[in-house]
Amino acid sequence: MVDTRRRVKLYVLNDERQWDDRGTGHVSSAYVERLKGMSLLVRAESDGSLLLESKIQPDTAYQKQQETLIVWSEADNYDLALSFQEKAGCDEIWEKICQVQGKDPSVDITQDIIEESEEERFEEIPDAAPPIELPPCELSKLEEISELFSSVLLSPVRREKLAIAIENDNYIKNLLELFHMCEDLENLEGLRHIYEIFKSIFLLNKNALLELMFSDDIIMDVIGCLEYDPNQPQPIRHREYLNTKANFKEVIPITNIELLHKIHQTYRVQYIQDVVLPTPSVFEENMLSTLSSFIFFNKVEIVSMIQDDDKFLPELFALLTDEATDDGKRKELVFFLKEYCTFAQTFQNRDGFFKMLSNLGILPALEVILAMDDADVRQAAIDIFAHIVEYSPSMVREFILQEANTQDDEVILMNLVIEQMICDPDTELGGAVQLMGLIRILIDPENMLATVNQKTEKTEFLSFFYKHCMHVLTAPLLANTTDDVPCKDDYQTSQLLSLILELLSFCVEHHTYHIKNYIINKDFLRRVLILMKSRHTFLVLSVVRFVRRIIGMKDEFYNRYIIKGQLFLPVVNAFQANGDRYNLLNSAILEMFEFIRMEDVKSLITHLIETHYGVFEKVDYVQTFKVLKLKYEQQQDRLNDKPILDNSIHQAAILHNSRFRRDPRSLEEEEEIWFEQEDEPEDGEAIVPVADMLKNKMEADLDHISKIIDGKKGHNDLDNKDVYSNTTSSTRPSNPLVNSNRTSSPPATPIPTKVASPPSPGLTPNSITRKTGIVGLVDYPDEDSDEDENDDDNSPPSKRVRLTP
C-alpha cells in the first residue's frame, strides 16, 4: 500500500505572486554530503525524479500553516511550500526542521521574518527592538489602537512585533467584544475605528492571524467589523447578504464534514478579498499575499477531497446525463461542475484531474448540456469546454473522431460548438469570439505536433472536419450571398461573417490542401467577394484580408482560379469607389497589389495590367501601378525576344556540348508561357497549341544551326554539303530536344565535341564529313550509348542510328 503520510505537493511562488504546482511526490529528510547538512528531499511519485533538494538552514524562517502546510523562503522572491496530504506527515517533517534549528516544535514559525527595504537596511537589529505594548481593549482607547496599528505598517520589524503581540494577548477576540458593544450602543465613531483596526490586521500579512479571524465562530463578526468603512456614507450589509441571499446548495449531498467546512470558509474568505476589503493600493497589494495564498491552498484541498471521493463525481455525471433529471437540477449540476473546473485551473499539474473527467464522460455530458435551451447553462458548458480544450485539444479531437462513426453530423460535438458560435444571441458576439478561438485551437496543425501519432491525427481530423463540419461553418456566409448583394447586412450578421472569414483565413494559411480544394471546387471566393458590397467597412476589410491571404500563398492554382473567374473585379471596383480617401480599405488593397509587385507574380501582374490598368492608370500617389506596368512591359519584351535569345543559347549549347542539353530555366519559361495563355480565347482569336509553338521554335533553331555550319564551311572554303541540305522543314523532327537538356553556360572558346540525336520516324540522316578544323556531327562510341538516357521509357533502348559519311 502506498504511504500517504509523507505525500506532498510542491509549490513555488511565481512573479505574479501565484503558487505554481511543481508536482506531487514524497518528502523525506536526510543528510546530503554535497550540501553539507540535513536537507528536505521531494521525489516525484510518477518517476522518482528529484523535485526538491533544500538544505535546512539554521537562520531560515519556516512557517507551519493550516496544520498541513510548511512555507519558507530560500532566496529573494523565491518562496516554497509543501502541502501534505496528512497532518501526521506535516508534523513529522516540522519536528525535523525544528530539531535542526534548535526550536520547540510547538511554534508555528521558527524565526522572526525580516523584510527590509533599502531605507531600512541600517535600522535597529530586530532582536534589540523593544516589543510593542498594546493599549487595553476599551472603548476610550479605540482611536489610540487604530493609530498604533496604522503607524507600524511602514516598518517590517514593527509589523512583526505587532503581529506577535496580537496573537499572544488574544487581542482579536477582545476587539470583537468591543465591536458588539459599539453596535449595541450604535457608536458609529467607534465602529469606524474598529474597521481601520481590522483592515490594518489584514495588512500585517500574517497567516496565524488570518487563521484566527477565519475560524467558524468569529469570521462573520470580522466581516461585520468591515461593514463600517469611513469612506462610505452608510454601512454595507455584508452579513445580511451572506446569511440570506448567498444560499449554499448541495447539488449532491456532501457527507464529508471537513469538506463542507472548507467550502464555506473558502467562499467567505473569497468574498472578503473580492468584495469586503477595498481595492488595495500598489503599496498594500504585496501586503495581502498571504490572504491569496490562504484561498489558493483551500481550493487545492477542496479539489483533492472531491477527487478522492469515490461516489461524488460518478453520481454527479450520472445525474447530468440522465434524461429524467429536470432542467433546474441539471442547471445546478452544471454550475457546480464549472466552479470545480475553475478551481482546478489554479494547478499547473492537471493531468490526473482532466484524465479523471474524461474517464467520467465529461465530453458526452457537454453535448447534452449544449443542446439545452437555457442560455446560462450553455454558457457554463462553453466555459467548461474551454478549460478542456486549452488543456488538451488532442483529447477533444480523439473523442470527436470516435463519435463521428456513430453520430449524425448534426449532433457531433464539433458541429454543436460551431452552431453555438453561429447562434450567439449577444449583439457583440462575445461568446462567438470565445468559441472561434476554441475551434481555431482544435483545427490548428501546430498543436497536433505534440501527439504521438501526429500524422494520423492531422490527416484524419482535417479530413473529418472538411467532410462533416466545414459546410456548417460556411452555411451563414453562403446563405447571405445567394444574390449579387448581401441578403442581410445588419451589424450582428456582419460581425459573425467577419469572424467566419477570420477562421477561414487561418485555414488558408494552415490547411493548404484541404481548403484549396474547397475554395476552388465550390467557387467559394466568388461568394465571399459579394460581401465587398456590404455597408460595413470592417466586413469589407475582412474580405480583403481573406483574398490577401490566398494571394500570399503564391500558389499558381489559386492565381489561375482568380484570373479565370475575373475575381479581382470586386476588389478593383471597391478601390475605385473609395477614390483618393486615405483609409484602412485603401491601404489594405494597395498593400495587396504591392505584394504582387514585390513577389513578381507574373500571371497576376499580366492579368491586372491587361484587364484593370484603366482604373490604375490615374493613381499617382503611389508608384505601385507604374512599376507593375513596367514589369508587365519587360515581361512582354522578354517573350517577344525569346526566339532570338533562344537561338543564341542553342548555338552556344551546340558548340559547348553537342548533346543538346536543356537548361532547367527553359522549362520554367515554357511553363510561364503556358500559364500566361488564356484558357478561353477571345472571339476570332486563333489558338496556337503549345506543342505547335515549340515545334516552330525548334524548326527555327535548326535553321539557325544550319546557317552557322554553312558559314563555317564557306569560311574554310570546303565543299561539304549542309547537314540538312536534303531535309525540308516538313521532314525535320518536330521536337528533337524534347528529352534532352541544354547547357546553361557555354565556354568562352568552342570545343569540338560529339553529338548524336535519335532520328524521328521517316528521317534519313545525311552524310556528315569530318575534317580537321571542321565542327560536325559524329556518332558516340557504343560504350557511351546509355549515358543521359531517359529512364522513363521501360522498353529497352534501340541502338542509335549511325550518321555515316
Side-chain angles (χ1 to χ4, degrees):
M1 182 176 178
V2 178
D3 181 16
T4 60
R5 187 163 48 96
R6 292 194 179 186
R7 189 168 184 260
V8 296
K9 277 187 176 291
L10 174 65
Y11 294 93
V12 177
L13 196 66
N14 60 28
D15 295 336
E16 287 76 30
R17 308 300 295 172
Q18 299 293 327
W19 289 100
D20 287 340
D21 184 353
R22 292 299 175 87
T24 303
H26 292 81
V27 65
S28 61
S29 60
Y31 183 84
V32 177
E33 182 66 29
R34 181 176 62 83
L35 300 178
K36 304 297 183 184
M38 291 294 293
S39 304
L40 297 177
L41 307 175
V42 178
R43 294 193 177 275
E45 65 178 0
S46 58
D47 55 7
S49 60
L50 193 63
L51 299 179
L52 175 69
E53 186 179 61
S54 173
K55 181 180 178 181
I56 303 175
Q57 302 289 352
D59 56 350
T60 297
Y62 291 84
Q63 296 183 62
K64 184 181 178 185
Q65 302 177 3
Q66 303 182 42
E67 296 185 339
T68 56
L69 281 174
I70 297 177
V71 182
W72 73 99
S73 298
E74 288 206 343
D76 293 341
N77 299 322
Y78 188 69
D79 294 351
L80 298 169
L82 292 177
S83 177
F84 288 77
Q85 182 170 332
E86 295 184 9
K87 178 179 180 297
C90 182
D91 292 340
E92 185 177 342
I93 296 299
W94 182 251
E95 288 179 4
K96 295 286 186 182
I97 294 172
C98 292
Q99 181 180 355
V100 172
Q101 292 194 341
K103 301 291 182 180
D104 185 351
S106 63
V107 301
D108 288 338
I109 181 169
T110 61
Q111 306 285 337
D112 290 339
I113 300 177
I114 303 174
E115 301 176 15
E116 292 184 342
S117 63
E118 291 296 330
E119 293 79 12
E120 296 161 347
R121 194 170 296 277
F122 300 105
E123 283 190 359
E124 70 275 7
I125 299 174
D127 293 338
I132 294 178
E133 293 187 7
L134 298 175
C137 268
E138 299 174 358
L139 289 177
S140 59
K141 299 291 186 179
L142 284 176
E143 183 175 2
E144 181 181 347
I145 297 171
S146 176
E147 290 177 355
L148 173 63
F149 280 30
S150 300
S151 65
V152 304
L153 295 178
L154 297 178
S155 171
V157 175
R158 290 174 61 79
R159 284 205 309 269
E160 185 68 30
K161 296 294 184 182
L162 177 60
I164 294 173
I166 292 173
E167 186 177 359
N168 293 339
D169 294 349
N170 203 20
Y171 211 67
I172 290 179
K173 288 191 175 181
N174 294 333
L175 287 171
L176 291 176
E177 291 177 3
L178 289 181
F179 165 70
H180 289 296
M181 190 181 302
C182 288
E183 276 202 321
D184 293 338
L185 297 174
E186 297 182 356
N187 183 353
L188 186 59
E189 183 180 358
L191 290 170
R192 288 177 174 172
H193 287 313
I194 291 176
Y195 171 89
E196 296 290 351
I197 292 170
F198 274 90
K199 179 183 173 183
S200 298
I201 293 176
F202 275 95
L203 294 176
L204 291 177
N205 207 28
K206 300 303 175 185
N207 188 75
L209 298 180
L210 294 181
E211 289 187 353
L212 285 174
M213 292 191 293
F214 297 155
S215 60
D216 288 344
D217 54 336
I218 67 173
I219 186 171
M220 294 304 291
D221 290 338
V222 172
I223 293 173
C225 294
L226 297 174
E227 292 179 350
Y228 296 93
D229 187 350
N231 297 319
Q232 299 293 334
Q234 296 293 330
I236 303 173
R237 305 299 180 186
H238 296 300
R239 286 171 295 176
E240 181 181 345
Y241 172 81
L242 291 173
N243 290 326
T244 59
K245 297 182 180 180
N247 296 323
F248 176 68
K249 294 181 179 180
E250 292 185 71
V251 292
I252 295 176
I254 298 175
T255 57
N256 189 332
I257 303 301
E258 185 181 359
L259 175 59
L260 278 174
H261 164 73
K262 285 293 180 185
I263 292 173
H264 286 300
Q265 185 188 58
T266 305
Y267 176 78
R268 291 166 180 169
V269 176
Q270 188 86 59
Y271 183 84
I272 291 173
Q273 184 187 49
D274 295 342
V275 180
V276 179
L277 289 175
T279 304
S281 64
V282 176
F283 166 72
E284 295 172 339
E285 189 171 3
N286 292 330
M287 302 173 72
L288 292 172
S289 59
T290 303
L291 178 61
S292 299
S293 298
F294 188 95
I295 296 171
F296 172 82
F297 287 113
N298 265 20
K299 290 179 178 179
V300 170
E301 290 190 46
I302 291 172
V303 173
S304 300
M305 288 180 185
I306 293 176
Q307 190 172 346
D308 293 340
D309 193 318
D310 296 334
K311 298 180 179 179
F312 187 88
L313 287 175
E315 185 178 350
L316 183 145
F317 279 95
L319 288 172
L320 199 58
T321 55
D322 190 353
E323 295 180 358
T325 304
D326 62 84
D327 290 345
K329 180 69 172 179
R330 186 175 280 111
K331 183 176 182 178
E332 292 176 357
L333 292 169
V334 172
F335 286 165
F336 173 84
L337 188 59
K338 174 189 171 183
E339 287 295 317
Y340 186 55
C341 291
T342 303
F343 275 20
Q345 285 300 106
T346 57
F347 309 146
Q348 194 170 18
N349 184 14
R350 297 167 289 170
D351 289 352
F353 175 78
F354 283 104
K355 286 180 182 177
M356 175 215 40
L357 290 184
S358 177
N359 294 334
L360 290 171
I362 180 68
L363 293 173
L366 287 177
E367 288 184 326
V368 176
I369 301 168
L370 286 171
M372 294 180 64
D373 296 330
D374 193 314
D376 293 335
V377 173
R378 291 200 305 268
Q379 184 58 51
I382 291 171
D383 293 338
I384 298 170
F385 184 67
H387 291 319
I388 299 172
V389 171
E390 290 167 3
Y391 168 71
S392 177
S394 291
M395 183 175 76
V396 180
R397 285 191 287 262
E398 182 181 359
F399 170 77
I400 292 173
L401 289 174
Q402 288 175 353
E403 71 166 357
N405 299 323
T406 58
Q407 300 284 354
D408 295 333
D409 285 359
E410 292 78 10
V411 294
I412 60 177
L413 181 59
M414 192 71 181
N415 284 342
L416 288 174
V417 173
I418 294 173
E419 288 171 6
Q420 289 299 315
M421 182 189 83
I422 294 171
C423 301
D424 186 6
D426 183 12
T427 55
E428 297 297 330
L429 299 183
V433 173
Q434 180 186 11
L435 287 171
M436 186 204 70
L438 299 179
I439 296 171
R440 181 169 174 165
I441 293 173
L442 288 174
I443 64 175
D444 185 0
E446 294 299 325
N447 65 49
M448 298 180 191
L449 297 175
T451 61
V452 176
N453 196 4
Q454 53 180 299
K455 183 176 180 181
T456 302
E457 184 177 18
K458 282 184 181 180
T459 305
E460 290 187 3
F461 189 79
L462 291 181
S463 298
F464 158 82
F465 179 78
Y466 280 87
K467 181 178 180 181
H468 298 278
C469 306
M470 181 57 85
H471 67 282
V472 180
L473 179 63
T474 58
L477 192 151
L478 295 175
N480 205 41
T481 55
T482 54
D483 299 325
D484 293 337
V485 294
C487 300
K488 294 177 64 177
D489 202 22
D490 59 278
Y491 176 78
Q492 188 169 353
T493 301
S494 299
Q495 282 275 74
L496 175 62
L497 297 181
S498 180
L499 287 178
I500 293 174
L501 284 174
E502 184 177 345
L503 198 56
L504 292 174
S505 297
F506 176 82
C507 294
V508 168
E509 185 174 359
H510 293 85
H511 306 165
T512 53
Y513 169 74
H514 294 87
I515 191 66
K516 180 166 63 178
N517 283 345
Y518 186 86
I519 290 175
I520 295 177
N521 293 337
K522 301 287 186 182
D523 198 12
F524 186 72
L525 182 55
R526 186 182 304 279
R527 301 290 289 273
V528 171
L529 287 167
I530 294 174
L531 300 177
M532 292 289 292
K533 298 178 181 178
S534 171
R535 61 187 176 90
H536 296 284
T537 306
F538 67 85
L539 179 56
V540 177
L541 285 169
S542 296
V543 176
V544 175
R545 283 196 297 270
F546 182 67
V547 178
R548 170 65 175 81
R549 192 65 60 88
I550 289 176
I551 294 173
M553 299 304 294
K554 295 186 286 187
D555 189 316
E556 199 60 35
F557 283 100
Y558 277 134
N559 296 342
R560 289 179 56 79
Y561 166 63
I562 292 172
I563 293 169
K564 183 176 180 180
Q566 294 285 332
L567 298 182
F568 268 129
L569 183 59
V571 179
V572 173
N573 289 342
F575 179 74
Q576 187 177 19
N578 189 67
D580 294 338
R581 285 178 292 177
Y582 180 55
N583 51 24
L584 282 175
L585 180 60
N586 176 270
S587 298
I589 296 176
L590 284 176
E591 191 277 335
M592 181 167 60
F593 293 140
E594 182 67 15
F595 174 82
I596 295 172
R597 180 192 73 80
M598 293 289 293
E599 296 296 326
D600 196 19
V601 186
K602 293 180 174 58
S603 57
L604 295 183
I605 292 175
T606 301
H607 173 69
L608 286 172
I609 297 303
E610 292 182 351
T611 310
H612 301 293
Y613 190 67
V615 176
F616 304 143
E617 190 173 10
K618 298 179 181 179
V619 178
D620 55 2
Y621 52 86
V622 291
Q623 298 299 311
T624 300
F625 303 110
K626 292 181 180 179
V627 178
L628 282 174
K629 181 69 180 305
L630 180 61
K631 281 183 174 289
Y632 169 77
E633 292 172 348
Q634 292 172 347
Q635 182 178 340
Q636 295 302 310
D637 290 343
R638 284 196 300 269
L639 292 176
N640 293 333
D641 295 341
K642 195 174 182 63
I644 299 174
L645 295 174
D646 285 345
N647 288 340
S648 300
I649 294 174
H650 276 288
Q651 174 187 352
I654 294 285
L655 297 176
H656 175 62
N657 188 344
S658 58
R659 304 184 76 190
F660 297 110
R661 298 183 182 275
R662 170 177 285 184
D663 192 332
R665 289 177 297 179
S666 66
L667 180 61
E668 295 178 2
E669 293 169 354
E670 290 163 9
E671 288 177 348
E672 289 172 5
I673 296 172
W674 168 264
F675 284 120
E676 286 160 7
Q677 282 186 317
E678 293 291 338
D679 290 330
E680 298 180 4
E682 300 292 338
D683 294 340
E685 182 182 352
I687 300 178
V688 180
V690 173
D692 292 345
M693 180 177 65
L694 293 176
K695 175 181 177 181
N696 297 335
K697 172 177 175 293
M698 300 315 302
E699 290 175 351
D701 292 342
L702 292 173
D703 286 338
H704 191 68
I705 293 171
S706 299
K707 292 176 182 178
I708 293 173
I709 295 176
D710 285 342
K712 287 185 177 291
K713 289 177 180 178
H715 180 72
N716 290 283
D717 199 20
L718 298 173
D719 297 331
N720 298 63
K721 296 183 179 180
D722 184 14
V723 175
Y724 294 106
S725 59
N726 297 326
T727 306
T728 63
S729 61
S730 61
T731 61
R732 288 176 184 169
S734 60
N735 195 354
L737 307 181
V738 70
N739 288 324
S740 304
N741 293 323
R742 186 171 57 197
T743 57
S744 58
S745 55
T749 303
I751 301 174
T753 56
K754 298 180 292 183
V755 68
S757 180
S760 299
L763 174 64
T764 302
N766 296 325
S767 298
I768 301 176
T769 303
R770 293 187 64 194
K771 290 187 178 181
T772 306
I774 299 176
V775 179
L777 301 179
V778 299
D779 187 26
Y780 272 102
D782 290 339
E783 60 269 16
D784 296 332
S785 61
D786 293 335
E787 183 180 352
D788 289 344
E789 285 292 323
N790 188 346
D791 296 332
D792 294 339
D793 190 359
N794 295 325
S795 61
S798 58
K799 187 174 182 180
R800 299 177 186 270
V801 179
R802 291 185 177 271
L803 304 181
T804 57

